[in-house]
Amino acid sequence: MSEMTEKEMNTENSTEQSLTGREVLKMTGIKKQFGDLEVLKNINLCVRHGEVVSIIGPSGSGKSTLLRCATFLEKIDGGEIIYLDKKAATTSHSGKVFYTGKAEMKEIKQYFGLVFQQFNLFPHHSVLKNIMEAPVRVLKRDRAEVEKEARALLEKMGLADKADQYPCNLSGGQQQRVAIARALAMKPEVLFFDEPTSALDPELTIEVLKIIRQLAEEKMTMVIVTHEMSFAANVSNRVIFMDGGVIVEEGDPKEVFGNPSQERTKQFLKSYKE
């Protein structure tokens, strides 16, 4: 090995080490109410670079609301949200929530991608245009370069032959894979999934989970709200169990699924198996 190659290797290793463990998202003391209903009660969540965090729990536990607060689709009623050391939302001593200015918020929003339950593709755009639209319009990137990357993403999703199709001509599983490609086209630091397979039948679910598994192997930082327990157990670095707007338990998937410490977690997992 030449000295130059060794130096390059050391640089690459140190870069990897500096990224590992870096906080991509930090949410502290998050509160959210809808009228008199407290949906999130003092939630703390930290997501580190390369980590896959699965959030499980019964319906109405606050899982999707937490994701919607993290991606600014809902405004928090208390707490702090930080992306890569940039404060997106803070709460004053008087309890008033302040969000950062428009320019910085635009930048922060580019740090994450969100894949919805219902795909949310533009029906009047081709598959290729769905993927290219945001990088070209929002990031003002070169169209030819974006198209090349978009086609590579379609290849990765197993959809290279669907570039000129429209969403209505695709199965649900194919539409969800296009939605994942569209999110990845923005090169986000973290990808959020809100029940990505809930609208799909079992056969199509396998297609989508295979892609998410592949992304996990590539060390894509992901937060996944899911009801697929075996998937969460096998793919996640950390599992969070929520109920009643609080985090009841979190930890290594083997511990949470194999030996949960909280009675509520045990009840939920038992009922799920049944």
Side-chain angles (χ1 to χ4, degrees):
M1 187 187 291
S2 72
E3 192 180 331
M4 186 64 181
T5 310
E6 211 171 297
K7 186 179 177 184
E8 287 173 352
M9 196 171 183
N10 289 337
T11 302
E12 192 175 314
N13 288 341
S14 65
T15 302
E16 185 64 35
Q17 285 165 7
S18 67
L19 286 174
T20 305
R22 179 187 58 162
E23 287 181 354
V24 176
L25 168 65
K26 189 172 184 181
M27 301 177 78
T28 310
I30 301 300
K31 297 173 184 174
K32 179 63 186 174
Q33 287 188 221
F34 293 112
D36 294 330
L37 180 65
E38 275 188 288
V39 183
L40 298 176
K41 307 168 187 176
N42 202 35
I43 294 280
N44 297 316
L45 172 67
C46 177
V47 182
R48 299 182 183 280
H49 178 82
E51 193 176 28
V52 179
V53 179
S54 287
I55 305 176
I56 63 170
S59 296
S61 59
K63 308 183 303 292
S64 292
T65 301
L66 180 60
L67 244 63
R68 291 178 67 81
C69 287
T71 54
F72 314 122
L73 294 172
E74 297 284 356
K75 288 199 168 182
I76 60 173
D77 295 315
E80 186 174 69
I81 303 174
I82 301 173
Y83 276 94
L84 298 173
D85 297 326
K86 287 192 165 89
K87 287 188 180 181
T90 55
T91 303
S92 69
H93 292 300
S94 64
K96 188 172 181 182
V97 176
F98 293 91
Y99 279 82
T100 192
K102 195 177 282 187
E104 188 164 46
M105 184 58 83
K106 184 180 177 184
E107 184 184 342
I108 290 171
K109 283 181 176 179
Q110 289 168 23
Y111 293 154
F112 62 80
L114 176 59
V115 179
F116 299 90
Q117 295 178 29
Q118 299 295 340
F119 328 131
N120 288 19
L121 298 174
F122 296 116
H124 55 292
H125 287 349
S126 69
V127 164
L128 187 64
K129 192 172 181 185
N130 261 285
I131 297 169
M132 291 177 60
E133 188 79 352
V136 171
R137 286 183 176 269
V138 178
L139 301 183
K140 311 296 183 191
R141 292 186 56 210
D142 176 70
R143 181 173 289 276
E145 188 182 314
V146 170
E147 181 174 342
K148 185 180 176 182
E149 289 178 7
R151 290 188 183 278
L153 281 169
L154 284 175
E155 180 83 38
K156 183 175 183 172
M157 300 292 145
L159 297 170
D161 59 337
K162 305 295 183 185
D164 299 322
Q165 296 285 329
Y166 285 81
C168 63
N169 301 127
L170 305 181
S171 71
Q174 289 170 335
Q175 288 188 60
Q176 191 60 295
R177 281 182 280 158
V178 173
I180 294 170
R182 181 178 63 179
L184 289 171
M186 293 293 281
K187 300 183 178 179
E189 292 279 345
V190 56
L191 205 50
F192 294 97
F193 292 86
D194 187 8
E195 298 278 16
T197 60
S198 65
L200 306 176
D201 64 38
E203 195 173 344
L204 300 179
T205 292
I206 291 168
E207 295 176 7
V208 173
L209 294 184
K210 184 180 175 185
I211 293 294
I212 299 174
R213 190 184 298 271
Q214 185 182 337
L215 292 174
E217 287 168 1
E218 294 169 4
K219 302 298 182 190
M220 180 75 207
T221 310
M222 293 184 282
V223 179
I224 308 166
V225 168
T226 183
H227 60 272
E228 300 286 343
M229 297 299 140
S230 60
F231 174 76
N234 292 327
V235 172
S236 313
N237 302 107
R238 186 155 47 99
V239 172
I240 291 172
F241 171 61
M242 287 184 68
D243 189 31
V246 300
I247 292 175
V248 176
E249 186 164 354
E250 70 175 297
D252 184 280
K254 287 177 186 172
E255 286 297 313
V256 174
F257 286 106
N259 187 30
S261 62
Q262 300 299 314
E263 190 57 39
R264 182 65 189 97
T265 315
K266 292 175 186 175
Q267 290 171 0
F268 173 75
L269 293 173
K270 186 183 176 186
S271 66
Y272 219 94
K273 285 170 188 169
E274 290 170 355

